[in-house]
Amino acid sequence: MNDSRLDITRAHPARRYDYWLGGKDNFAADRESGDLVAEQFPAIRTAVVENRKFLRRAVTYLSERGMRQFLDVGTGLPTADNTHEVAQRIAPESRIVYVDNDPLVLSHARALLTSTPQGRTAYLDADLRDPGVILADPVLRATLDLSQPVALMLVSVLHFVTDDTIAHRAVRTLLDALPAGSYLVLSHATNDFMPADAVEGIAAADRATRVDFGFRTREQIAAFADGLQLVEPGIVSTAEWRPEPGDDPPPAREDTAGWCLLARKPHTA
């Protein structure tokens, strides 16, 4: 592919995540950054695997309850059980819009994330920090009916928007554009269980490899769902959200280092 934004000398979150998941769509800079983080937090691969499992369980939960539209922002590189695959296994007519700002992600998504004939998938080259651009895109409007409920998927992406004002404005702008009955699906890295030296070590690794990343506490993450109705079990670790029968016991919160939630936009009084 030929895109001037594809800088393989600088680590990118999606490609680094792919490296931790054992994928092959990453470069030396991504691997270097990933290894530096793993030195400080050896359970990082457990954390990213459990995050993907949470995505699958959340999409399954919503699809089984009638959700047919998904807006997945910060898609990441295609791997097993992508949002549309989980949703369309349950309801082939489901429609999914993926959003990412990495040209490599978009190239792979267009090649690999193919819809069922009954449903539809689309891909936007946009950034969570610019929610107005996402909402104004004609491809989004042609794919999703914003008068009907939509599941807004912000899975492992908000910790790359370190400015709280920008992060909250982005989430609120997107939610405000969706009708009552829509859902927010969110997971976010936390330092609630990390010793201070590990937190600083990860910050140093990110600075060294030019990755913009920031932990948030449980209370800070909960604030993104203000005004929404939390689905049980509420805000828990990614491994603890509605585990399926037969699953292994969940890893310790110290090893997942992430909070997650699913919350519904209520009808106004």
Side-chain angles (χ1 to χ4, degrees):
M1 62 173 296
N2 182 19
D3 192 309
S4 60
R5 295 172 302 153
L6 181 58
D7 181 1
I8 67 171
T9 69
R10 180 172 181 169
H12 188 281
R15 301 193 303 261
R16 188 173 70 171
Y17 192 89
D18 174 75
Y19 171 58
W20 286 327
L21 283 173
K24 298 178 180 179
D25 296 310
N26 49 76
F27 301 99
D30 309 306
R31 297 188 287 272
E32 176 192 2
S33 180
D35 289 343
L36 286 172
V37 172
E39 288 176 9
Q40 303 298 325
F41 181 48
I44 182 61
R45 288 178 173 82
T46 296
V48 298
V49 167
E50 291 302 327
N51 186 69
R52 290 297 300 184
K53 290 180 179 178
F54 162 67
L55 181 150
R56 174 175 51 80
R57 294 196 302 270
V59 174
T60 298
Y61 173 90
L62 290 171
S63 296
E64 290 178 344
R65 286 157 181 80
M67 181 60 65
R68 298 294 180 261
Q69 301 191 112
F70 297 82
L71 176 56
D72 188 335
V73 184
T75 304
L77 284 154
T79 183
D81 282 340
N82 301 287
T83 297
H84 80 287
E85 292 171 327
V86 178
Q88 291 181 347
R89 275 201 299 267
I90 297 167
E93 70 274 19
S94 298
R95 292 173 166 242
I96 296 87
V97 171
Y98 290 107
V99 181
D100 209 287
N101 64 349
D102 180 358
L104 186 66
V105 167
L106 293 165
S107 174
H108 282 64
R110 292 186 176 106
L112 298 174
L113 303 184
T114 55
S115 175
T116 58
Q118 304 96 315
R120 186 168 177 186
T121 58
Y123 324 95
L124 304 187
D125 183 354
D127 193 307
L128 175 59
R129 297 171 185 83
D130 295 315
V133 172
I134 295 172
L135 292 170
D137 195 296
V139 173
L140 180 142
R141 299 282 176 162
T143 307
L144 302 181
D145 177 358
L146 298 190
S147 71
Q148 298 299 314
V150 176
L152 173 61
M153 311 284 296
L154 299 176
V155 176
S156 198
V157 64
L158 275 168
H159 41 237
F160 298 112
V161 184
T162 56
D163 184 299
D164 285 340
T165 299
I166 294 174
H168 280 277
R169 184 173 62 232
V171 175
R172 190 50 49 190
T173 299
L174 292 171
L175 286 173
D176 284 349
L178 305 180
S182 295
Y183 284 84
L184 172 65
V185 180
L186 186 153
S187 65
H188 196 299
T190 188
N191 57 358
D192 285 349
F193 312 106
M194 285 187 184
D197 59 343
V199 174
E200 176 50 37
I202 292 172
D206 285 332
R207 287 193 299 270
T209 54
R210 298 180 292 165
V211 173
D212 192 18
F213 173 90
F215 291 111
R216 288 186 173 95
T217 65
R218 186 182 189 277
E219 290 72 23
Q220 290 172 319
I221 295 164
F224 288 109
D226 282 351
L228 306 181
Q229 299 169 336
L230 287 172
V231 172
E232 289 295 331
I235 303 171
V236 294
S237 87
T238 50
E240 295 169 349
W241 197 87
R242 294 180 174 265
E244 296 170 349
D247 282 355
D248 293 331
R253 289 179 171 181
E254 291 82 356
D255 290 338
T256 55
W259 295 114
C260 69
L261 62 89
L262 195 154
R264 185 176 184 271
K265 184 174 180 178
H267 291 273
T268 55

